[in-house]
Each structure stands twice: as C-alpha cells, then as structure tokens.
Amino acid sequence: MAQFYKVPQENLLVVYDDVDLPFGLLRMRPAGGAGGHKGMTSIIERLGSQEIPRLRMGIGRPPGRMEAADYVLQEFSATETNLLPEILDRGVEAMFTFITQGIAAAMNHYNPPSGEI
C-alpha cells in the first residue's frame, strides 16, 4: 500500500508489540533492524529498507520457558487489562506527536531516559 501510494518511508510509522521491552514502556526509533520480530522482519523485507520509523510497545518477557509466540497470543492479566487504556492513550499521543512534530520530538518526549530499560 505504501509503495502503491508512493508514501515516503519517513512518513510511515509501524507500531508493534515488543517482548524485549517491559510491559507498558514505549520506545520510538527512526530506523533499525527487526530485533527478531517476525512482523517487522516482513515489513523491512517488503519495503527493502530498515529506514522505517517505528513505535515499539512493551509487553514484557514470557514467564518461565513459555514460547514468545504463545505469550503474545494469550489474554492480558487483570492488572495489565486495567493499565491498557492509559498505555494505549500514551501510544496514540506518541503517534500524534510523530505526525505533527516529527520523530525527534516524539522520541524526546516518549522514550524512556537512557538506562531505564
């Protein structure tokens, strides 16, 4: 779709879950690898570049020896479910900042300070 409509990659924003970030943490980046995320790998392959802005939304690591694929498909806990509206609102705000002010402003406002992950 991006190629059909000739949307510049810097105007795209891919938003996805990330088991490598603690639950509820947001991290925006202007580019980078897939970090093992199969969906992001597919997007990078289809667009032919890693220069794609992305917003990663942390869901935390699977407990014990649970497979990541099983973990991401299960229901959120009651505590997580209660926190979701606030986290999703923050994600929407980060996307709006990206659209209206650019990636640098969104990163400065929504990324955690260095060393917090």
Side-chain angles (χ1 to χ4, degrees), residues 52-76:
I52 307 159
R54 74 272 323 266
L55 174 60
R56 296 164 43 208
M57 300 185 77
I59 60 170
R61 301 287 311 159
R65 295 178 182 241
M66 179 184 280
E67 292 291 324
D70 295 330
Y71 177 68
V72 300
L73 295 175
Q74 73 180 10
E75 297 288 326
F76 288 106

Side-chain angles (χ1 to χ4, degrees), residues 19-96:
V19 297
D20 291 326
L21 291 177
F23 180 81
L25 198 68
L26 304 180
R27 170 149 285 173
M28 188 163 303
R29 289 283 179 250
H37 194 282
K38 292 180 181 174
M40 196 64 211
T41 298
S42 176
I43 291 168
I44 289 169
E45 288 174 359
R46 296 287 298 183
L47 295 176
S49 173
Q50 293 184 358
E51 303 297 313
I52 307 159
R54 74 272 323 266
L55 174 60
R56 296 164 43 208
M57 300 185 77
I59 60 170
R61 301 287 311 159
R65 295 178 182 241
M66 179 184 280
E67 292 291 324
D70 295 330
Y71 177 68
V72 300
L73 295 175
Q74 73 180 10
E75 297 288 326
F76 288 106
S77 71
T79 301
E80 291 169 336
T81 299
N82 288 334
L83 295 171
L84 276 178
E86 178 183 331
I87 294 164
L88 294 175
D89 285 347
R90 190 161 164 78
V92 169
E93 291 168 7
M95 289 181 253
F96 186 74

Side-chain angles (χ1 to χ4, degrees), residues 3-24:
Q3 291 170 336
F4 180 82
Y5 288 106
K6 298 176 178 41
V7 177
Q9 288 182 2
E10 64 270 9
N11 290 348
L12 298 175
L13 182 65
V14 177
V15 180
Y16 60 98
D17 62 349
D18 194 323
V19 297
D20 291 326
L21 291 177
F23 180 81

